Structures are given as C-alpha cells and as structure tokens.
Amino acid sequence: QVHVVESGGGSVQAGGSLSVFCVVSGSTKCNYALTWYRQVPGNNREFVGQIDSVGGTVYADSVKGRFTISQGNAMNTALLSMNGLKLEDTGLYVCKTDQSRVCPEYWGQGIQVTVSL
C-alpha cells in the first residue's frame, strides 16, 4: 500500500512564506516525479509545479519566481517552499505521484494554505 501525505501549510498574511512537504510512503520501488496542484472550491484544479526524479522542476507561470520545489533527503519526498504569498494562492495543496509505464499514480488528501490581508 502506497500513501501520499502532505504536511505543513497553514495560514499567513499576504507577502509571507509557508512550506508544504510531500512524503510518499509504503511499499514501492518507484522513484517518482511529484506534482503539486491546488484546489479552490468552485474552481478547476490548478497545476502549481513538478519535480522529477533527478530534481528537474517546472512551475506554473502564476508561481514562477515565488515558489520553489526541492527534493527531500529521502527518495519520494519533496518540499514546496512558497514566498511572497498572495491572496490568490489560497487553496488546498495536493501532491501527486506521476504515473509511468510501471509506476501507478497516487494522490494525497491535500493540506490547506490560507493567505489573508
């Protein structure tokens, strides 16, 4: 059984910083690329960024220059560092393992990030 768990998040004033951590645990030999999405009620799920298995990153234009994704010390872990947070960054941040030919996709439950004035 494989689980994806997000931790961190929380509430911050606009302009502040928060981090969200993603851990993939359980029985897997897959070295996953990990993708972050955010979800706001009533809106479509929005791509935030991705880190591949060798540390390459891609970001949405809306977060480029403010958000950074880095690999954790253990395989299948990743840190999403968010700086200069804006009101529109509020949402449920969800981590997903990227599916490949032999490795299935798994989703976390998400963790809330709230940015206020």
Side-chain angles (χ1 to χ4, degrees), residues 10-100:
S11 298
V12 69
Q13 288 188 320
S17 299
L18 284 173
S19 295
V20 188
F21 197 60
C22 176
V23 176
V24 180
S25 63
S27 179
T28 179
K29 295 181 179 179
C30 297
N31 188 8
Y32 283 107
L34 298 175
T35 299
W36 288 99
Y37 294 89
R38 62 188 179 197
Q39 181 74 52
V40 177
N43 290 4
N44 293 329
R45 183 184 295 136
E46 179 186 12
F47 169 80
V48 174
Q50 180 196 63
I51 186 165
D52 63 27
S53 59
V54 294
T57 54
V58 177
Y59 300 97
D61 288 343
S62 60
V63 307
K64 207 172 289 183
R66 299 187 297 120
F67 289 14
T68 303
I69 303 174
S70 56
Q71 289 179 317
N73 291 330
M75 189 177 76
N76 293 328
T77 63
L79 179 69
L80 172 64
S81 300
M82 303 176 286
N83 299 310
L85 282 161
K86 304 177 181 180
L87 297 179
E88 54 263 40
D89 293 320
T90 293
L92 185 72
Y93 282 71
V94 183
C95 180
K96 177 184 78 74
T97 67
D98 287 357
Q99 186 177 13
S100 66

